[in-house]
Amino acid sequence: LSSNYLDILGSQKLSGHIRVSGAKNSSLVLMVAALLTDSSVFLSNVPLLSDVESMSKILLSMGLKLRRNQNQLEIITSGLSLFSKNLSCEVFHELRASFFCIGPLLARFGEVKIPLPGGCRIGARPIDEHIQGLRALGAIVETKNEYVVAKTISPQKRLIGARIKFNCKSVGATETILMAATLAQGTTILENAAQEPEIQDLAMMLNEMGAKIQGAGTSQIKIEGVDHLNGCSYTVMPDRIEAGTFLVAAAITRSPLTLSPVIPEHLETVILKLQECGCLIECKGDTLRIIPRKNLQAVDIITSPFPGFPTDLQAPFMALMATVKGISKIEETVFEDRMQHLREFQRMGAKILLDGNTAYVIGTNNLKATSITGGDLRSCAAMVLVSLAANGTSVVRGLEYLDRGYEDFAGKLNAVGANISKVYSIPLASDECD
Ligand code: EPZ
């Protein structure tokens, strides 16, 4: 863990407007989709995140060139060469989305050897749906040590369209197979496909490149394979999870805030839950305005794949429920180990009981500031939020997680009245051993 941390003065009222950045989980897969063409891809509204830096390193390691100017990213793919079949491990271990590259590389070159993925520790994060899908498209896929090795069976080194039914709704597997299928011979039908908005964003960009995809965003997607994809220019959609995190920041401090740009239908269940607990939320075009009542009520949530309540907002929502009257039941059904923030909230005086993957949160209005540490990207954001509501000054560690998924999180909150300072400290000798 880096020794830098945030000092957060609690019970500040917020007010004003927060600009929402481009979606992290869309940007990452759109960068991977650039591997499907030998022309250039120009992305706008790409957030400045360490995960985007990591993905950039991965593309550079395959011989691509990138030109970055603020939130604009040009990916020049002409340098992509066959040597990319054998990729180096450490840069792939940094993030989960690195594995999604297997789809485009196999579709273009007919063979690829790719390191197993890394990513936040929120569960086993298996890749069996990705592997089954590629096998269904006519590839031999094996796991050897730290690598997955894949090779097309057909002599033309092309994948063959197929009907594929996923056993579980997986965002990454749907994206990997969707990308691979765009260059397969014939038609592919995906059933039980994930419906997250990021998949619609990906399909829209792929169709811009010349792919023939219908049904993205529903559980059945049809892809007619083509021989070649062109480059394109594409603007990343706004980040629904960042927007949801800031809606919770407004609710947890009982402050009115406006956010834009937002696509309201990407946040329907989140908006309904916040309204149910006592927040007034108005949508005007791409702007959301939230006005929380003083006394909010506990509500129950169950996370589930889109259009259900997003697992990525479970930790932030638990932070909110720790501060409202009543008992909230929070059930995490997507990842098996995504409750590590619970112990940190308890250390601030939150009353939470955990039964398997269900947390019972008994709200209180006297959380006490203390030093807490985030273990994954969204739990770290949740710790900043709960610190905004605590009495006193909290210390939040784990900033490298925060920087993975939130562009200038503290800066955006300070701009609407929070009092968060980033403290740069060198690790003391004792710190090094803990
Ligand atoms: C994506 O991860 C997101 N990451 C995650 O966001 C997000 O939490 C998750 O989707 C769910 O919405 C990116 O898009 C880069 P999954 P992904 O495959 O694709 C099981 C964040 O904080 N599964 O939809 O890895 C899996 O174990 C990150 O921004 C299999 O069983 O998630 C999990 O229980 C965290 N086999 C469930 O599906 C597989 O082959 C959902 O995982 C793949 C997944």
Side-chain angles (χ1 to χ4, degrees):
L1 268 185
S2 113
S3 49
N4 300 338
Y5 57 87
L6 294 180
D7 260 354
I8 301 170
L9 178 61
S11 24
Q12 302 290 308
K13 282 287 171 234
L14 309 180
S15 74
H17 176 268
I18 295 185
R19 192 187 67 76
V20 179
S21 301
K24 165 180 87 90
N25 289 343
S26 185
S27 304
L28 296 176
V29 74
L30 298 183
M31 290 170 76
V32 171
L35 295 170
L36 285 163
T37 177
D38 52 8
S39 312
S40 294
V41 166
F42 198 97
L43 297 177
S44 308
N45 199 32
V46 177
L48 300 166
L49 303 171
S50 58
D51 270 10
V52 170
E53 294 308 309
S54 303
M55 184 57 79
S56 302
K57 273 196 280 181
I58 286 168
L59 297 183
L60 289 171
S61 76
M62 298 179 195
L64 280 71
K65 283 192 197 59
L66 288 91
R67 193 196 313 276
R68 184 76 198 248
N69 171 5
Q70 281 307 323
N71 296 95
Q72 298 194 320
L73 177 66
E74 184 179 8
I75 303 171
I76 298 116
T77 66
S78 46
L80 176 58
S81 69
L82 284 170
F83 82 81
S84 61
K85 286 184 296 180
N86 201 333
L87 302 161
S88 63
C89 261
E90 68 286 342
V91 72
F92 276 73
H93 278 328
E94 283 170 27
L95 81 162
R96 172 82 177 169
S98 64
F99 188 69
F100 305 172
C101 296
I102 192 169
L105 292 175
L106 185 58
R108 284 201 62 204
F109 297 114
E111 57 179 306
V112 62
K113 179 179 175 189
I114 188 167
L116 284 168
C120 284
R121 291 187 327 279
I122 50 179
R125 318 283 312 258
I127 50 171
D128 54 316
E129 295 289 345
H130 299 247
I131 291 176
Q132 297 307 331
L134 293 172
R135 285 178 178 152
L137 291 175
I140 298 165
V141 188
E142 267 131 28
T143 306
K144 283 186 188 136
N145 309 328
E146 290 286 289
Y147 285 89
V148 171
V149 181
K151 194 174 169 56
T152 48
I153 299 169
S154 89
Q156 296 85 354
K157 294 194 145 204
R158 277 193 78 176
L159 293 169
I160 316 287
R163 175 178 286 276
I164 297 168
K165 185 170 172 42
F166 291 109
N167 298 320
C168 77
K169 284 195 178 278
S170 158
V171 172
T174 302
E175 292 171 341
T176 299
I177 304 306
L178 174 61
M179 290 188 283
T182 56
L183 292 178
Q185 227 159 356
T187 300
T188 296
I189 306 276
L190 303 183
E191 290 178 349
N192 198 24
Q195 301 176 226
E196 273 68 7
E198 289 75 20
I199 290 160
Q200 286 177 276
D201 225 20
L202 172 61
M204 279 168 76
M205 182 175 117
L206 291 170
N207 283 341
E208 278 288 302
M209 295 166 74
K212 293 190 171 68
I213 301 167
Q214 293 165 322
T218 73
S219 59
Q220 186 168 57
I221 303 177
K222 180 178 173 189
I223 307 109
E224 286 171 60
V226 294
D227 296 338
H228 174 261
L229 290 179
N230 308 311
C232 74
S233 295
Y234 193 78
T235 300
V236 178
M237 71 181 194
D239 195 315
R240 62 195 171 94
I241 304 300
E242 185 199 17
T245 309
F246 285 128
L247 286 175
V248 172
I252 206 165
T253 56
R254 313 294 189 271
S255 313
L257 279 183
T258 60
L259 303 177
S260 73
V262 171
I263 301 174
E265 52 270 13
H266 288 178
L267 280 162
E268 232 157 84
T269 40
V270 178
I271 289 171
L272 284 174
K273 277 298 167 189
L274 286 167
Q275 287 170 331
E276 192 187 327
C277 90
C279 299
L280 178 70
I281 298 184
E282 297 154 355
C283 311
K284 279 203 179 63
D286 71 352
T287 300
L288 274 194
R289 178 162 175 71
I290 176 169
I291 305 165
R293 276 213 306 265
K294 190 172 173 339
N295 295 322
L296 299 182
Q297 299 292 328
V299 293
D300 297 344
I301 58 154
I302 300 181
T303 67
S304 64
F306 197 87
F309 192 96
T311 171
D312 291 349
L313 287 175
Q314 180 256 107
F317 208 82
M318 188 185 290
L320 173 61
M321 289 298 110
T323 71
V324 303
K325 215 166 45 320
I327 299 183
S328 160
K329 179 179 172 189
I330 297 179
E331 203 176 335
E332 172 58 63
T333 72
V334 177
F335 288 108
E336 67 277 20
D337 184 12
R338 198 171 201 177
M339 289 281 183
Q340 66 92 16
H341 39 281
L342 188 147
R343 276 185 305 281
E344 299 298 293
F345 295 163
Q346 286 170 330
R347 294 182 51 238
M348 297 180 89
K351 294 180 182 52
I352 310 176
L353 307 174
L354 184 62
D355 171 18
N357 251 339
T358 302
Y360 295 89
V361 186
I362 303 142
T364 165
N365 59 7
N366 57 5
L367 293 178
K368 57 185 186 309
T370 183
S371 170
I372 46 182
T373 303
D376 72 76
L377 150 62
R378 306 302 174 183
S379 62
C380 207
M383 285 172 206
V384 174
L385 299 182
V386 78
S387 303
L388 292 175
N391 307 314
T393 300
S394 299
V395 166
V396 174
R397 295 178 188 281
L399 303 194
E400 59 277 28
Y401 291 114
L402 207 53
D403 298 341
R404 290 186 60 149
Y406 290 95
E407 188 178 39
D408 191 19
F409 193 62
K412 289 186 178 183
L413 287 169
N414 284 339
V416 290
N419 187 331
I420 304 173
S421 38
K422 182 165 181 179
V423 180
Y424 296 85
S425 70
I426 47 167
L428 301 177
S430 59
D431 286 6
E432 263 136 24
C433 56
D434 69 13

